[in-house]
Amino acid sequence: MNDATTRKQQEMAIIKRIAGGGDDGPVLMINLNRYRPEANFPDGAPYTDYMRVLEALLPEVGGKILWRTPVHGQPVGDAQVDEILAAWYPSHQAFLDLPAARGGKENFRLRRQCIEHAVIHRCDPVMVPGGSPASRQPSH
């Protein structure tokens, strides 16, 4: 097993532990996406279909896209990214519930069709409405 696979499994275990515990709370997922050429980012039908389905799916678990922005350049690093997307979830469990939610199957089909490479960072949602440093402990 390579380091990336090990890290992913370890991180998913952390998310599941938090979701199953009494301290589950909001989480911000920052998505760094590089799209396949056939997705025709940002105006092509495959990409717009994916965003339409994702925007309908997230409310099914209580989540929402806070913002998304195309990347216009990258002065540092090698991993090329086309878009950064910030998705807020009311809990870690909500994030885990995405595949089984209504529209989840179609979302993940379109995701596989459109995304060539993605990295998702689990972040503290302090900067989003409803989050505050005094009201919760960081989720590690």
Side-chain angles (χ1 to χ4, degrees):
M1 194 172 332
N2 67 35
D3 288 341
T5 302
T6 300
R7 181 173 180 192
K8 180 181 174 184
Q9 289 177 347
Q10 289 171 342
E11 182 61 27
M12 288 305 292
I14 291 168
I15 292 170
K16 289 175 183 176
R17 180 180 47 78
I18 294 168
D23 291 334
D24 192 5
V27 63
L28 177 66
M29 296 292 193
I30 302 294
N31 298 251
L32 308 176
N33 297 331
R34 180 175 63 233
Y35 294 101
R36 297 180 190 283
E38 54 271 22
N40 296 315
F41 172 80
D43 300 316
Y47 171 78
T48 56
D49 288 348
Y50 171 50
M51 284 299 115
R52 178 182 46 77
V53 170
L54 179 61
E55 289 172 353
L57 170 63
L58 288 175
E60 292 291 324
V61 298
K64 59 186 169 184
I65 294 174
L66 296 180
W67 52 265
R68 56 188 166 109
T69 185
V71 173
H72 297 295
Q74 184 174 335
V76 177
D78 294 327
Q80 190 172 0
V81 174
D82 296 313
E83 181 179 53
I84 301 172
L85 182 146
W88 178 89
Y89 298 88
S91 67
H92 291 71
Q93 185 61 54
F95 174 75
L96 294 174
D97 289 344
L98 276 178
R102 185 171 43 145
K105 186 175 182 179
E106 177 67 359
N107 173 75
F108 284 95
R109 182 190 72 76
L110 289 167
R111 185 180 195 283
R112 285 188 302 276
Q113 178 184 349
C114 290
I115 294 181
E116 182 175 9
H117 179 78
V119 175
I120 301 175
H121 295 277
R122 182 174 58 92
C123 302
D124 200 326
V126 172
M127 299 296 289
V128 299
S132 73
S135 67
R136 59 184 302 278
Q137 296 295 315
S139 300
H140 296 287

